[in-house]
Amino acid sequence: MAVSVRRTIGLAAALALAFGTSSLQAAPGKPAAVPDIPIPDIKYTKFTLKNGLTVLVHEDRKTPVVAINTWYHVGSKNEKVGKTGFAHLFEHLMFSGSDNFNHTYLNAMERIGATDLNGTTNQDRTNYFQNVPTSMLDYALFAESDRMGHLLGTVDKKKLDIQRGVVQNEKRQFENQPYGIAWELLTTNTYPAGHPYSWTVIGKMEDLDAASMTDVQDWFKQNYGPNNTVLVLSGDISPEQAREKVEQYYGAIPPGPPLAKHDAWIAKRSGSHRTVAQDRVPQSRIYRTWNVPGAHTQEEALLDLAARVLGGGKTSRLYKRLVYQDQLATSAVASDSSSELGGQFSMTLTARPGADVAKMEKVADEELRALMKNGPLDAELRLAKTAILAQYTRMIERVGGFGGKSDLLASCETYTGNPDCYKVYLQRIKDATPAMVKKAMNDWLSDGDFVLQIDPFPTGLAATQTGLDRSKTPDTGKAMSLKLPPMQRTTLSNGLKVVLAERHEAPVVNLQMLVDSGYASDNADMPGVASLALRMLEEGTGRRKSLQIGEELESLGASFGASTNLDGAYVSMNALKATLPQALSLYADLVLNPSFPQNEFARLQQDRLAAIAREKSDPQSIAMRLAPALLYGPDHVYAKPGTGTGTGTGTEDAVKRMTRADLAAYHATWFKPNNATLLVVGDTTLAEITPMLEKAFGAWKAGDVPKKVIAEVAPRAAPVVYLVDRPGALQSVILGGQLAPPRNSPEALPLEIVNDVFGGTFSSRINMNLREDKHWSYGVRSLVSPAIGQRQFMSISPVQTDKTGDALKELVGEYRNIAGARPIANEELKFAQDNKTLRLPGSFETAGQLAGAYSTILQYGMPEDYFNTYTEKALALTPQQANALAARSFVADGLVWVVVGDMAKVEKDIRALNLGEVRRIDVDGKPLP
C-alpha cells in the first residue's frame, strides 16, 4: 500500500520508474541512427457491464498467471479542503476485509501466491493490482469484487483508527527520510489555494484525525461504484472466460451515483518565487518546477523529450555540464510529470558537498536557456526517442504491476476511454521535431480560468437482476507446476562458461557476466574498491569515452548495469534483438577493457563520498552499514559497511585513500574467464549466440585468481544493544541481527518459510503486531540476505519515537515466541507455504527475472532444478520440522540490536528493558562514552 507523493508522471517517465533506469550508453563518434523499433500493439477485448463497469481483457499464455488490475477513477483531487487524505486512507481501508471476505486482503492474497500485489493512490486514481495463479482467479475476483460492492459493513471505528494510525506512520516515515519535507512545500507552493492538486495525496495529519465514520462511508458511496472503475484482466485467460467470470462476480453490484468530472486546469504561473527550508541532509538540493499541460496532450510528448535531452541521464545536458564537466552536482535530472488536470516540468539538482549552490543553479539555468533558444540537436532527439521506444518494447514482457501491459491499458482507458492511447503518445514521440520541442519549451518554460461543465448522467445503468451468492467464498486452487526453460551450457575456447535460457516471447536478450569476487574480495583496509570498480566500467575503455558509451547505449536501445554483492560482481546488459550484435560488441568492450580514467575516477570518488554521507544521514542506512561488523566481527571478510543487503560503498577514509590503480588492480585480479560465467536469457539460441560470444570474448585470457577465505563465526553468547543518536528523528529504526546458514544450505528453503511466518510477509507476526495491532509503524520486516558463507538474518523496524522502548520489548517477545514460546501453528505454516509456492509462477515473467533466478543458482552452487522442485520441497515441510528449525534459528539471547533514533527521548526506555549490555556508538561504529 503506497501513496504516490509525486505527480502522476508521463508515459515515458512512468516506464522509467517501472523498469528502472541505467546509464543508457555508442560507438565512438557519431551516434547510430534510430533503430526501427515498432510501436507495441497490446491486443485486447473491451466490454462494459450493465452497471457501468468497463472491462479490458488481454490474453498472454506465457505463464499460468492472470494479472488483475482495478482502477477507480478517484484520487486526492476529488477531496475537499479540510478533508484531505481520504482517497489514500480509503485505499488502506479497502485492504481490511469486506462483508463476505472478512480477511486482511494482503494476507489472503499472499496465501494464494499473489505477486506484484499492492495498491496505490495519486491525485487522479486509486488502483489495486495483483498477479495470481490461474487456479486462484475465482478466489481473487470474489475478493476484489466484494470490496467494491460489499465493503462498508465491516468498516468500524476500530479499523478506521488502525488504518488512520498506519497512514500517519507512513507520513512520518516518509518525512523522516532525507529531503522528505520537499513534497509538501512543492505542492503547496506550486498550485493556488483551492486547486485540486494544492494538497498532497497523503493529506494533512489534522484532516486524518478528524475523519469520521460518516465521512468515510459517504466517500466510498460516492466514488467506488463500478461505473467509476476500469478492470483489466491480463494473462492466462480468454475474453470469453473473462466475460463469464466478471459477470458472475461483478454483475450484481449496483452503480454509484452521478459523478462530477474535473476539466483540465494547468494553473500556469507567472513570475519567480523562492522558498528556503532546512532539513537534516548532507547536501543542498534545488527543485525547480513549472506548471505545464498534463497527460494525453501534444505537449506531454514534446516536454517528455525535452526533459530527457535536458536531464534524462548520462547523455543529457545537465549531467554532462553539472555532474561530469563542472562537477558542481552529484545528480542533475529533469522530468515531465503528467497528471490528468495538468503537469509539472521539473529540474532537481543535488549539489556536490562544498560546491557553490548558487553557481550550480546558474549553470543549470544556462543549459535550460540554451536548449530553449536553439532546440535539441537531431542526435539528441534521436537518443531520446530511442530510449522511450525501447522502454515500451521491454514493457510487453510483463502482464501486470507497475508498468506492465494491464497497467498501461487501465491507465489509457481510465483517462481517455481509449485503451490504445499509448500508441498516440508514441506516434507523437516518433513525429516530434527539434522545432516542435523548442516551441513547447518556450511556450511553457519561459516566464490561467476555471470552467465547470456538467454532463448528463448516462442512462441505462443498472445492476443485473440476479446476484451472486456471496455467503460462500470460492474454493482456492492448488500450487501450479513450474517448468522454467532449461539451462543450456557451453564453454568458449578460453574456458569461459556460458549458460543460456531461451525465452522468445519478447525480442529482448539479457546478458549477465557473473564474476566470483564481491565485497568479500576487498582488502580489509580498503572497503569499497569492488563496488566502485564496477561503477566505473561504463566510464571509459581504451576505445570509448564515458559520454560516448552513454550515447551508444541509447542509440542501440540497450541498458547497462554493473553491481556487486557480498560474493560476486555482476555486469549486465539488456539488449534488443534488433541491435544485439552491436550491443554485444559494446558489452564485451565494457567488461574486458575498462580504462578507469583518472578524471572520471576523481569525479566518482567525490560522488561516492557524497553517497556515504547520504547513507549516514538516513536512520535505516546507518543501521545497515553498522550491522556487518557487529555481526561478523571487524576482521571477517563480510564485515565491510553496507554489505549484505546494503550497497558496499565502503568508508570515507578508504574512499579518500583510493586511487584509480586500486580499481584497475581489482579488475585485473578477478576478471578472468576461468573465474566467470556468462548467463544469457532471452530471444536467442545457443547456435546463434555462441559464435557471437566467441568473437566478443574469445581473446580474453585465463589466469590465476586469489582464493577468498570465509571464516565461520561462532554463535553469540549474550545479546548486545548498540545505540546511535540522531537528534530530532521523527522515528527510531530498530535492527535485530544474527547469523544464519549459507544460501545453499539444506535449511535455506525451510528457513525462508519460517521467516515468512516471523517477518517476511505483510501478514507476518511482527508486522501484524507493530503495524496492524499497535499501529506504531508503517511496516516492519525480517529478511535473510544471500551469501556463500553465513548470512545476515535481521529484522528491521522503523517505529514512532515515543514507542521505541515498547516496540523493542515486543520484538524481543516475538523472537522468543517463534523460538518456542508460541510455536508455529499449522495454519501459519500452511499460509507461508502457500504464499511461497503459489506466487512462484508470477516471479519469472521477464528475461531479467529469469536471469536473477538462474544467477542465484549459479552463484551459490544450487541444483539446476531448484525452482522447478521448489514447490514440492516447500510443501513437504511439517509443523514439527518448522518449529525445530525455528528453535535452532532464532536466538533471542544472542541477538545484536542496533537502535538509531533520538536518544534523549528513547535511551532511558531502552536501558530499562535490561536486555543485556548497552553500548553507545557513532555512525561509524566507534564507541562513545
Side-chain angles (χ1 to χ4, degrees):
M1 290 175 278
V3 57
S4 300
V5 294
R6 283 175 169 258
R7 307 291 182 265
T8 304
I9 55 182
L11 290 171
L15 290 173
L17 281 184
F19 292 99
T21 53
S22 322
S23 297
L24 296 172
Q25 326 288 319
K30 188 176 180 180
V34 179
D36 184 17
I37 304 174
I39 293 174
D41 181 22
I42 305 172
K43 302 294 185 183
Y44 65 88
T45 299
K46 176 179 175 180
F47 59 88
T48 303
L49 301 191
K50 290 183 178 180
N51 59 10
L53 178 66
T54 299
V55 184
L56 302 171
V57 186
H58 167 69
E59 190 169 354
D60 180 341
R61 302 288 188 173
K62 173 170 73 256
T63 56
V65 169
V66 179
I68 305 171
N69 211 323
T70 307
W71 281 48
Y72 294 96
H73 200 170
V74 54
S76 62
K77 76 172 186 297
N78 302 96
E79 298 161 355
K80 299 177 182 178
V81 175
K83 294 185 182 295
T84 64
F86 274 41
H88 179 237
L89 175 62
F90 224 95
E91 176 217 315
H92 280 255
L93 284 168
M94 289 182 74
F95 280 98
S96 297
S98 49
D99 293 357
N100 308 288
F101 193 81
N102 197 11
H103 309 285
T104 301
Y105 197 84
L106 290 177
N107 297 25
M109 290 299 105
E110 286 179 341
R111 184 186 297 276
I112 66 165
T115 55
D116 282 335
L117 165 64
N118 213 330
T120 71
T121 311
N122 65 21
Q123 296 103 316
D124 302 315
R125 59 97 184 104
T126 302
N127 70 340
Y128 300 91
F129 50 92
Q130 59 272 316
N131 293 1
V132 300
T134 308
S135 63
M136 297 296 178
L137 181 59
D138 284 277
Y139 184 87
L141 288 177
F142 180 92
E144 193 70 70
S145 64
D146 206 66
R147 66 175 167 183
M148 176 191 289
H150 305 273
L151 183 84
L152 291 181
T154 61
V155 177
D156 54 19
K157 187 176 185 304
K158 180 181 178 181
K159 284 187 177 180
L160 175 60
D161 288 342
I162 288 174
Q163 294 307 321
R164 188 193 339 249
V166 169
V167 170
Q168 289 175 333
N169 269 305
E170 180 180 1
K171 183 176 174 71
R172 291 187 190 101
Q173 181 168 319
F174 181 77
E175 292 176 350
N176 197 42
Q177 296 173 357
Y179 309 106
I181 65 171
W183 300 112
E184 179 80 30
L185 291 170
L186 284 169
T187 300
T188 55
N189 283 280
T190 55
Y191 284 106
H195 191 286
Y197 293 165
S198 64
W199 50 84
T200 61
V201 177
I202 204 165
K204 297 181 179 296
M205 283 285 196
E206 56 267 30
D207 292 353
L208 293 169
D209 283 332
S212 69
M213 284 298 300
T214 300
D215 292 331
V216 167
Q217 291 176 345
D218 289 347
W219 176 262
F220 178 80
K221 292 173 183 176
Q222 178 65 40
N223 294 294
Y224 294 84
N227 49 308
N228 197 35
T229 308
V230 171
L231 171 65
V232 180
L233 300 179
S234 176
D236 185 24
I237 189 170
S238 69
E240 295 75 21
Q241 292 170 316
R243 181 184 289 272
E244 178 183 353
K245 291 182 184 297
V246 172
E247 287 279 6
Q248 178 185 4
Y249 292 110
Y250 292 85
I253 300 173
L259 296 161
K261 184 176 183 296
H262 292 281
D263 206 349
W265 185 359
I266 300 170
K268 187 175 183 180
R269 298 165 53 82
S270 61
S272 182
H273 306 272
R274 193 176 193 93
T275 295
V276 179
Q278 295 178 332
D279 194 6
R280 292 181 177 86
V281 295
Q283 298 159 258
S284 296
R285 178 178 287 179
I286 290 176
Y287 302 86
R288 192 175 177 189
T289 303
W290 294 260
N291 289 349
V292 300
H296 313 295
T297 62
Q298 175 76 24
E299 291 88 349
E300 177 195 24
L302 298 173
L303 291 174
D304 278 356
L305 290 165
R308 189 171 282 274
V309 172
L310 179 64
K314 193 172 181 180
T315 61
S316 69
R317 295 192 180 191
L318 289 179
Y319 182 93
K320 289 179 181 178
R321 180 75 184 278
L322 285 171
V323 179
Y324 185 78
Q325 178 181 318
D326 295 352
Q327 298 188 25
L328 293 167
T330 58
S331 68
V333 298
S335 62
D336 178 45
S337 303
S338 300
S339 298
E340 191 172 13
L341 307 187
Q344 292 195 325
F345 189 98
S346 302
M347 291 194 298
T348 305
L349 315 172
T350 304
R352 185 181 297 276
D356 186 333
V357 178
K359 183 178 180 182
M360 177 185 70
E361 185 177 3
K362 180 176 180 294
V363 170
D365 186 68
E366 290 173 2
E367 292 297 329
L368 172 67
R369 298 300 163 190
L371 185 58
M372 292 172 63
K373 179 180 179 181
N374 300 311
L377 301 174
D378 287 337
E380 290 178 309
L381 195 57
R382 285 200 300 271
L383 291 179
K385 291 181 178 183
T386 299
I388 292 172
L389 290 164
Q391 287 173 335
Y392 276 79
T393 301
R394 294 184 173 92
M395 179 198 67
I396 63 175
E397 286 191 283
R398 300 174 58 238
V399 293
F402 279 126
K405 289 181 280 190
S406 64
D407 213 37
L408 189 52
L409 291 174
S411 174
C412 281
E413 176 62 31
T414 298
Y415 296 137
T416 72
N418 173 21
D420 287 326
C421 78
Y422 65 92
K423 296 180 181 178
V424 177
Y425 169 81
L426 288 177
Q427 193 60 53
R428 287 170 174 164
I429 292 292
K430 283 193 165 189
D431 294 342
T433 66
M436 293 164 67
V437 174
K438 174 185 173 182
K439 181 178 185 302
M441 295 186 72
N442 281 279
D443 285 347
W444 293 99
L445 307 183
S446 293
D447 155 64
D449 184 312
F450 168 72
V451 176
L452 174 62
Q453 178 177 330
I454 301 175
D455 290 325
F457 182 59
T459 59
L461 297 181
T464 55
Q465 295 300 311
T466 58
L468 177 70
D469 179 6
R470 292 188 176 270
S471 62
K472 182 181 179 182
T473 304
D475 293 334
T476 58
K478 296 181 179 179
M480 303 182 73
S481 60
L482 184 66
K483 293 183 179 179
L484 299 182
M487 297 170 70
Q488 305 172 53
R489 296 175 183 266
T490 191
T491 302
L492 301 188
S493 59
N494 61 357
L496 176 64
K497 297 182 289 292
V498 177
V499 177
L500 169 69
E502 295 184 30
R503 176 65 71 82
H504 299 287
E505 284 77 11
V508 173
V509 177
N510 199 84
L511 303 159
Q512 188 172 77
M513 186 72 72
L514 285 68
V515 179
D516 184 3
S517 56
Y519 311 153
S521 67
D522 281 340
N523 291 330
D525 66 340
M526 195 68 74
V529 168
S531 64
L532 190 54
L534 267 290
R535 169 64 183 85
M536 282 203 68
L537 292 187
E538 61 183 293
E539 297 300 330
T541 71
R543 299 172 48 227
R544 294 171 165 93
K545 293 185 178 180
S546 177
L547 297 180
Q548 292 173 322
I549 291 169
E551 290 175 359
E552 187 171 357
L553 278 168
E554 286 201 11
S555 72
L556 296 172
S559 64
F560 177 84
S563 63
T564 48
N565 63 15
L566 267 176
D567 299 300
Y570 294 81
V571 188
S572 303
M573 177 175 281
N574 189 276
L576 306 179
K577 175 82 169 180
T579 60
L580 181 59
Q582 303 95 308
L584 188 55
S585 175
L586 171 60
Y587 177 62
D589 194 31
L590 295 174
V591 172
L592 302 181
N593 306 309
S595 59
F596 303 105
Q598 177 60 37
N599 63 318
E600 307 295 358
F601 169 75
R603 173 175 61 84
L604 291 177
Q605 185 180 39
Q606 295 304 310
D607 286 354
R608 176 58 59 88
L609 290 171
I612 294 172
R614 287 194 299 272
E615 289 178 2
K616 290 165 70 171
S617 72
D618 177 71
Q620 185 163 309
S621 295
I622 292 170
M624 298 293 287
R625 283 178 61 84
L626 294 170
L630 300 178
L631 289 169
Y632 292 105
D635 299 326
H636 198 281
V637 293
Y638 283 174
K640 283 87 174 182
T643 56
T645 57
T647 55
T649 48
T651 64
E652 287 151 319
D653 173 66
V655 173
K656 287 176 182 177
R657 290 186 287 106
M658 214 173 280
T659 68
R660 65 158 300 280
D662 294 317
L663 310 188
Y666 163 84
H667 184 270
T669 300
W670 297 96
F671 273 62
K672 309 279 187 175
N674 51 303
N675 192 46
T677 299
L678 180 58
L679 174 62
V680 183
V681 177
D683 190 15
T684 187
T685 65
L686 209 56
E688 178 184 34
I689 196 71
T690 300
M692 299 168 65
L693 296 178
E694 192 68 55
K695 178 180 179 182
F697 291 101
W700 191 13
K701 300 298 184 184
D704 294 334
V705 179
K707 182 173 178 60
K708 294 175 291 184
V709 178
I710 305 172
E712 185 167 348
V713 179
R716 185 175 293 273
V720 182
V721 182
Y722 293 91
L723 305 182
V724 184
D725 191 19
R726 191 172 186 265
L730 299 177
Q731 286 186 316
S732 299
V733 171
I734 304 171
L735 183 150
Q738 60 183 97
L739 296 180
R743 181 66 180 86
N744 65 356
S745 163
E747 291 189 346
L749 193 159
L751 185 58
E752 288 181 16
I753 298 170
V754 171
N755 178 60
D756 276 3
V757 175
F758 178 71
T761 65
F762 177 86
S763 52
S764 66
R765 287 186 177 188
I766 60 174
N767 193 57
M768 289 293 101
N769 185 344
L770 296 187
R771 172 184 159 128
E772 293 296 290
D773 295 341
K774 306 290 193 309
H775 47 274
W776 295 343
S777 174
Y778 177 58
V780 302
R781 62 192 172 106
S782 64
L783 56 105
V784 191
S785 58
I788 289 176
Q790 289 165 293
R791 301 185 286 161
Q792 292 187 73
F793 184 10
M794 62 183 64
S795 59
I796 304 166
S797 309
V799 299
Q800 62 194 68
T801 296
D802 62 338
K803 298 298 182 183
T804 302
D806 293 334
L808 181 52
K809 182 179 179 180
E810 291 291 329
L811 287 166
V812 172
E814 291 291 359
Y815 273 95
R816 296 190 190 283
N817 286 340
I818 197 74
R822 180 160 70 92
I824 298 170
N826 292 358
E827 183 178 346
E828 287 182 299
L829 178 60
K830 185 177 186 305
F831 181 100
Q833 290 171 312
D834 287 347
N835 177 56
K836 281 294 186 189
T837 57
L838 291 168
R839 71 194 313 270
L840 206 58
S843 304
F844 298 96
E845 279 196 282
T846 68
Q849 288 175 314
L850 195 57
Y854 283 162
S855 67
T856 297
I857 289 174
L858 294 170
Q859 181 174 25
Y860 300 112
M862 297 156 64
E864 286 192 19
D865 65 351
Y866 177 80
F867 290 104
N868 284 342
T869 61
Y870 187 101
T871 296
E872 178 185 356
K873 291 176 181 176
L875 295 178
L877 183 66
T878 67
Q880 293 76 18
Q881 292 169 333
N883 281 303
L885 178 60
R888 295 194 302 271
S889 303
F890 289 80
V891 288
D893 293 329
L895 286 169
V896 169
W897 293 102
V898 182
V899 184
V900 183
D902 189 340
M903 289 302 140
K905 298 178 179 178
V906 305
E907 183 172 359
K908 180 180 178 181
D909 292 340
I910 293 171
R911 289 184 179 273
L913 296 174
N914 294 317
L915 296 180
E917 184 180 359
V918 178
R919 304 175 186 174
R920 291 175 61 96
I921 58 175
D922 65 14
V923 294
D924 294 310
K926 295 176 181 177
L928 295 174

